[in-house]
Amino acid sequence: MAMNEGQPRLGCGRIIDDVWESIDRPASIHERTCRDCQSARAALEHLEAVTRSMRDRDRSDPALRPSRRVRAAILMVARAEIRRSRRVPLGTTPRGTIDISEQALTGLIRFAASTLPGVRARRCTIAGTREPQTSPAGPPSTAAVDGEDVRITLTVALSSQVRIPATVTLLRERVGTIVQAQTGITMQQIDIGVEDLYDV
Amino acid sequence: MQGASRTALATEAPGHPAVLASAEALDDLDELTIVARAQNGDVHAFEWLLSTHEGGVFRLAFRMLDDYAEAEDIVQETFIAARRGLPDLAAPQAFTPWLYRAATNKCFNNLRSRRRHPAAPDSFDDEPVPGGSHGASAVGEAELRNQWDARGGGICQDPALRYEAEAQMQALACLVRAVPAGPRACWLLRDVHEFSYTEIAAIVRLPESTVRGRIARTRRILAEGMEPWR
């Protein structure tokens, strides 16, 4: 059969797509009397049944999954690349500077946020208060962050059951407290963006 | 670490199970939140996306390329490229079609490369491939299934019914291989991976009307090919 761009039609003039779209419904008056439609419908119903069987079988078939080696290779590359993120200095000792990776800090901030019921932390960016504002969705800055001058921007989804102003205030306090306790960093500014509400 | 005198603190904290597991399980979150976290460099979130989608991407690639090793390569290339491209994904809600778009493109590139090396020809848009794209492909899939069955993984049912069902699925797989790659991708994305027509149009970058036409023609070819089994 030629694979031209026009929709294939049955002898009665109907397009195959229309027969397929109505395959889950009882046959129409036309379909009950039209031999072309009856034949097409029976053929498509059979195809749909075998396709469904193949789809369900393939999904549960361990032979049709990539090996663990592939997964390990992907994660190894991902972890190696993420480790190259910026670092935030925490303090200086006689043996050198202690710092924390930006990824570790954003992980801690997401953790702090998730300790509040009804809060799902999404993206977090870290910058100095003197750096230009960047969107959490935008490309990360490459400049080093001054540990004395940290501003974070955190986007969250909130449960539709919580009061937004009170939760945002609590969230700001919780993030500031946990980050200060775990790293010694006192954040100068914590911007919270509520970008979504979810139903419980 | 930036220098020998610096001491890294909690470098692995974002991906450390003890940190995240104590707060929440990713399975309890919506995919939009998980995609956003993966965009933010959270390895745990990326790993969740990998677990969720690696099987689907593999099955699409396997049905497109009919080669286990090449399908694995597509999975690896797709997810590594996806992780790098995630921060630039403007619409996180479109993550899944975006991922499959990358995988589909890589499959097309692989098939174009085969056409440049005609030892293994594969029709792309118009001409059906007689007998499937690879002569040995059916054997390859059958071998995979036999290995699984030998380990006791097969579905337990009446042997005669099971044989017939298996034979029909093998016949369908063979027919799918004979469909040109462009329509084959559209059909797989719709009837096997259950994307909407709009999503498929975005994945293959074609008008929705073209996608509908390709899928309808592929269904007709496959339905006619399955006639002897009815």
Side-chain angles (χ1 to χ4, degrees):
Chain A
M1 182 184 301
M3 298 298 288
N4 55 35
E5 296 301 321
Q7 286 263 14
R9 287 184 183 276
L10 304 175
C12 64
R14 284 186 83 199
I15 59 175
I16 292 264
D17 221 14
D18 287 345
V19 181
W20 182 271
E21 292 301 328
S22 64
I23 210 162
D24 292 334
R25 296 191 291 272
S28 65
I29 295 171
H30 170 79
E31 285 173 335
R32 285 200 292 269
T33 55
C34 172
R35 283 181 178 274
D36 292 324
C37 282
Q38 285 171 356
S39 170
R41 192 180 164 97
L44 289 173
E45 279 174 346
H46 180 241
L47 172 64
E48 201 273 333
V50 180
T51 303
R52 191 180 343 110
S53 298
M54 188 173 85
R55 181 174 63 225
D56 294 346
R57 196 265 319 261
D58 283 2
R59 279 179 182 162
S60 59
D61 185 349
L64 286 181
R65 292 189 70 83
S67 64
R68 289 181 182 176
R69 176 188 56 77
V70 172
R71 179 187 177 79
I74 294 166
L75 289 173
M76 189 177 72
V77 172
R79 289 189 180 111
E81 291 178 351
I82 285 172
R83 274 192 206 105
R84 293 183 204 134
S85 66
R86 294 193 297 174
R87 310 194 75 84
V88 182
L90 300 178
T92 305
T93 71
R95 302 185 67 182
T97 304
I98 300 172
D99 59 26
I100 183 172
S101 76
E102 184 173 329
Q103 288 302 330
L105 190 52
T106 57
L108 180 62
I109 291 164
R110 281 193 297 266
F111 163 75
S114 64
T115 60
L116 275 182
V119 177
R120 291 177 178 174
R122 288 188 172 174
R123 280 163 293 192
C124 177
T125 54
I126 296 169
T129 56
R130 290 181 289 278
E131 286 182 40
Q133 183 91 31
T134 57
S135 158
S141 168
T142 53
V145 179
D146 179 355
E148 303 290 317
D149 173 39
V150 174
R151 180 188 75 206
I152 70 153
T153 305
L154 175 67
T155 63
V156 295
L158 295 183
S159 161
S160 56
Q161 307 285 307
V162 301
R163 290 180 58 236
I164 295 176
T167 303
V168 168
T169 302
L170 259 179
L171 177 58
R172 198 173 278 120
E173 288 170 7
R174 181 70 57 92
V175 168
T177 303
I178 289 182
V179 171
Q180 215 284 329
Q182 295 291 320
T183 68
I185 294 174
T186 302
M187 284 185 280
Q188 301 299 313
Q189 192 174 324
I190 301 173
D191 297 328
I192 309 283
V194 180
E195 64 177 25
D196 208 354
L197 295 176
Y198 65 89
D199 292 324
V200 181
Chain B
M1 208 179 310
Q2 288 184 329
S5 65
R6 292 197 151 194
T7 307
L9 176 70
T11 308
E12 298 297 332
H16 196 289
V19 171
L20 287 178
S22 63
E24 62 196 335
L26 287 175
D27 284 339
D28 295 337
L29 300 180
D30 54 298
E31 183 161 304
L32 202 52
T33 295
I34 295 171
V35 171
R37 289 186 183 187
Q39 286 187 292
N40 206 202
D42 181 345
V43 175
H44 239 58
F46 176 73
E47 191 171 355
W48 187 94
L49 293 173
L50 174 63
S51 300
T52 302
H53 295 289
E54 65 179 342
V57 170
F58 177 85
R59 290 190 296 276
L60 174 70
F62 182 73
R63 293 281 176 220
M64 286 299 295
L65 305 175
D66 201 27
D67 185 292
Y68 190 91
E70 288 181 1
E72 281 196 322
D73 289 345
I74 296 290
V75 172
Q76 185 163 330
E77 291 168 18
T78 298
F79 278 96
I80 288 175
R83 207 214 63 73
R84 289 173 181 158
L86 261 173
D88 299 323
L89 175 63
Q93 62 273 22
F95 170 76
T96 306
W98 175 77
L99 183 74
Y100 275 76
R101 172 168 165 66
T104 305
N105 276 342
K106 289 178 193 304
C107 289
F108 285 158
N109 289 340
N110 182 303
L111 292 170
R112 286 192 191 98
S113 167
R114 283 185 191 173
R115 291 175 88 194
R116 287 195 289 272
H117 303 89
D122 198 311
S123 171
F124 212 79
D125 281 322
D126 298 315
E127 299 158 18
V129 184
S133 56
H134 283 169
S137 55
V139 175
E141 185 173 347
E143 280 176 357
L144 283 174
R145 302 224 174 281
N146 289 340
Q147 286 170 12
W148 183 44
D149 290 346
R151 294 195 298 268
I155 302 161
C156 184
Q157 60 179 28
D158 182 297
L161 287 176
R162 187 179 157 200
Y163 177 82
E164 187 179 336
E166 182 61 41
Q168 291 201 38
M169 287 187 275
Q170 289 281 354
L172 178 59
C174 247
L175 287 167
V176 170
R177 279 195 290 276
V179 174
R184 181 162 77 230
C186 291
W187 181 81
L188 286 168
L189 289 165
R190 177 75 199 113
D191 285 357
V192 177
H193 295 272
E194 301 180 285
F195 285 98
S196 69
Y197 289 108
T198 307
E199 287 171 328
I200 297 167
I203 290 171
V204 297
R205 293 271 167 100
L206 285 171
E208 196 174 317
S209 57
T210 306
V211 166
R212 280 184 176 274
R214 286 186 167 193
I215 293 170
R217 281 189 296 282
T218 304
R219 283 178 185 144
R220 184 170 182 176
I221 290 171
L222 298 178
E224 287 174 0
M226 292 300 289
E227 279 291 323
W229 294 92
R230 280 172 56 200

